[in-house]
Amino acid sequence: MVVDRLRIDGLIVLCVFDHAFVVSGELCGSGNLACIRCGCAGRKVPAAGTPQRHALGRRGVHFFWRGIGLGGSDAVIAVLEEFVWYLARTYLCGRAGALGFLSFQRVGRVALFSKSRARAARHGGEFTPPVSILKPLRGLDRGAYENFASFCRQKYPKYEVVFAVSDENDAAVPVVRRLMRDFPEIPIRLFVDADRKGANDKVGKLCLLVQEASNPLLVITDSDVRVAPDYLCKLAAIFAEPKVGAVTALYRAIEAPSFGAVMDTMGSLSFSAAALLARALEGLKFTMGSTAAIPRERLEEIGGFAPLLDMHSDDYELGRRIAEKGYRVELAPDPVDMEFPSESLCDYLRHELRWLVGLRHIRPGGHFGLLMTQGIAWTAAAALLAHSWRASAAWVLAYLIIRFLSGYLIGVWGLGDPVVRRKLWLLPLHDLFSFFLWLASFAVNRIEWRGLVFTLEKGRMIPVASRPQGA
């Protein structure tokens, strides 16, 4: 493959990757990149930058490509090698840059959410609008009672907790009834609505809850979330600024009762890092199921929850539509705690694949851009292509150092996640699973959620079939 060719006084300077070949006369043909024949012998001149590239472990045709059946095309091999080097360098440099940026921003347990905490401290106790906590339920999560009870122990002047289920026999109903008995001083209401309003059952319940809610500030959280007593106070203080349209929160694990839950925790760690960088660089444009707080008037501006009835990623869509209206999406001062389910590895892989398929439909560019984040794959490929075991080890070591440092910075030092502290060494395994799931997500267009099967079209869920829960 010719990179550059220059004719000077009958000589042809032919630049081919690492070397330039100076030959005379008409170029008649070539064999492989290491041997050029054209009437008379040429002389090989090392091209600029060759020592540097060899120092990084790069060499020409490698047994790796021959082993996978590409040994017959030097040009294709060279392009593939350059592509691998580019991806590996981009990943390591990008991850190191993000690590340095977040460190420069003083990311730590105290300063991770410094702007939000400063705002909460400035307005804390002064801005306390009445709050309605909305809880759409289906089934029972681990630690459900303690999760719900944490919202009933808020040190906040006026709030209510409103639940909705689709069936009176739902396993969550007795827990909510117990909650009403244990906290008689808190307005707690439970609604049963069997009418399915759209493909997204959670959003259907939210439509009902918004109608029944009494207060102007709405706080929506998933049923597996547990919060501190000052949660509402800090959340509401952020809305003292009129340009804030929504507030969301990062999350950390309380515990991980299974291997699948540990992998889930590692995945949330990667997502938290991406969210922090997005906030620092361009501002958040999404909310998360861990917390989505929004004033009723802002919700009405985007048409309420009805337009989201068939959307796969309702949390993302809610924040995106708020941001499109010119309002800011802010991060809560502290992460919330989450009770991860005791799921098997297969369960974890299924719901991660579901998330990736959904991402491909709502943000195809962002989904394809995950190519640049598959560090374990590109680092392994670069190590295989390296010219010596020392260079291979250097690539692997660079990946491990940067990956573990970023995981520690965000998960342990920043979020204070106890599971990440104990299981940090499993991050590379999570990255390996993520790479193969990302590849699989290009070939899958159906998702399964709570026994229902859907296809996706432009982010909207279309029911296909169903099967009994747990089948």
Side-chain angles (χ1 to χ4, degrees):
M1 182 176 178
V2 176
V3 175
D4 193 14
R5 185 176 64 183
L6 178 64
R7 181 187 296 272
I8 304 176
D9 296 330
L11 295 179
I12 294 176
V13 180
L14 185 60
C15 301
V16 188
F17 293 107
D18 285 348
H19 297 88
F21 294 85
V22 183
V23 297
S24 62
E26 187 69 17
L27 181 66
C28 298
S30 62
N32 55 44
L33 293 182
C35 180
I36 296 180
R37 292 185 174 88
C38 70
C40 65
R43 52 193 175 88
K44 186 171 71 172
V45 182
T50 299
Q52 289 85 343
R53 284 192 291 274
H54 279 296
L56 287 174
R58 184 193 183 281
R59 64 178 179 177
V61 179
H62 195 277
F63 70 89
F64 172 72
W65 299 114
R66 297 192 185 282
I68 60 174
L70 293 175
S73 175
D74 289 340
V76 171
I77 291 170
V79 170
L80 289 174
E81 285 188 353
E82 289 295 335
F83 187 56
V84 167
W85 294 118
Y86 171 76
L87 289 173
R89 286 193 300 266
T90 300
Y91 171 81
L92 292 177
C93 292
R95 180 74 70 170
L99 185 64
F101 177 79
L102 291 175
S103 298
F104 179 76
Q105 293 289 317
R106 294 175 64 244
V107 175
R109 187 171 298 183
V110 175
L112 178 59
F113 309 96
S114 55
K115 292 182 180 179
S116 299
R117 285 177 175 168
R119 187 180 298 109
R122 189 164 59 248
H123 300 288
E126 299 174 4
F127 189 77
T128 55
V131 172
S132 290
I133 300 172
L134 311 183
K135 288 278 190 181
L137 305 177
R138 180 174 177 174
L140 206 58
D141 294 301
R142 291 181 69 254
Y145 177 82
E146 281 302 318
N147 296 342
F148 299 161
S150 69
F151 289 90
C152 299
R153 300 186 180 112
Q154 293 298 300
K155 298 176 181 178
Y156 197 78
K158 183 179 180 181
Y159 69 97
E160 64 175 354
V161 187
V162 192
F163 297 91
V165 294
S166 299
D167 186 352
E168 181 68 42
N169 297 318
D170 192 292
V173 171
V175 178
V176 176
R177 302 284 188 204
R178 177 187 168 191
L179 208 66
M180 292 175 175
R181 294 192 300 270
D182 293 348
F183 297 92
E185 71 283 4
I186 305 297
I188 302 173
R189 292 183 287 159
L190 172 65
F191 294 93
V192 180
D193 184 14
D195 180 27
R196 192 178 183 92
K197 299 176 177 61
N200 192 322
D201 186 52
K202 170 190 168 183
V203 176
K205 294 185 179 78
L206 285 173
C207 289
L208 170 66
L209 290 172
V210 169
Q211 293 176 1
E212 299 295 338
S214 307
N215 299 321
L217 181 57
L218 309 174
V219 176
I220 304 138
T221 67
D222 289 341
S223 56
D224 53 1
V225 170
R226 193 175 300 179
V227 296
D230 59 354
Y231 168 76
L232 283 184
C233 192
K234 290 182 176 180
L235 209 62
I238 302 175
F239 288 100
E241 297 184 18
K243 289 303 291 180
V244 175
V247 176
T248 191
L250 298 181
Y251 51 94
R252 62 191 172 200
I254 297 174
E255 61 176 323
S258 65
F259 182 72
V262 172
M263 290 294 101
D264 209 352
T265 303
M266 298 301 165
S268 65
L269 172 62
S270 299
F271 183 79
S272 296
L276 285 169
L277 277 175
R279 182 192 68 162
L281 297 176
E282 63 175 0
L284 292 177
K285 300 185 186 302
F286 56 87
T287 56
M288 293 173 270
S290 54
T291 290
I294 180 172
R296 186 187 293 270
E297 57 185 315
R298 300 288 174 262
L299 183 62
E300 291 172 354
E301 285 185 43
I302 63 171
F305 281 106
L308 310 182
L309 275 169
D310 295 324
M311 301 301 295
H312 168 262
S313 304
D314 53 281
D315 305 317
Y316 166 81
E317 281 293 326
L318 179 66
R320 184 185 69 82
R321 296 181 184 215
I322 288 293
E324 281 186 348
K325 289 291 183 180
Y327 297 105
R328 296 202 313 269
V329 179
E330 291 288 354
L331 205 58
D334 298 300
V336 299
D337 294 321
M338 187 168 290
E339 188 75 74
F340 282 89
S342 181
E343 59 185 348
S344 67
L345 178 60
C346 288
D347 291 333
Y348 160 73
L349 295 175
R350 271 197 297 267
H351 86 246
E352 279 296 295
L353 181 60
R354 182 178 71 230
W355 181 83
L356 285 166
V357 172
L359 179 64
R360 179 166 61 86
H361 283 267
I362 61 174
R363 291 187 64 196
H367 175 267
F368 185 78
L370 291 176
L371 170 77
M372 310 303 295
T373 69
Q374 308 302 329
I376 194 167
W378 311 134
T379 303
L384 285 171
L385 292 172
H387 74 289
S388 69
W389 69 267
R390 290 184 180 86
S392 298
W395 279 107
V396 174
L397 187 62
Y399 162 76
L400 292 175
I401 289 174
I402 291 175
R403 193 67 180 103
F404 287 140
L405 277 177
S406 62
Y408 185 87
L409 177 70
I410 301 298
V412 180
W413 193 29
L415 298 175
D417 192 310
V419 176
V420 174
R421 181 185 292 107
R422 295 193 306 269
K423 304 292 185 179
L424 187 65
W425 59 277
L426 286 173
L427 267 177
L429 182 59
H430 167 267
D431 290 353
L432 186 64
F433 285 138
S434 294
F435 173 66
F436 287 109
L437 287 171
W438 176 71
L439 290 178
S441 67
F442 285 96
V444 176
N445 198 44
R446 291 191 177 191
I447 63 171
E448 182 181 342
W449 189 74
R450 293 186 181 270
L452 300 176
V453 180
F454 303 89
T455 58
L456 292 175
E457 290 185 7
K458 296 181 178 180
R460 294 190 175 275
M461 298 192 297
I462 302 173
V464 174
S466 63
R467 68 183 188 183
Q469 191 85 19

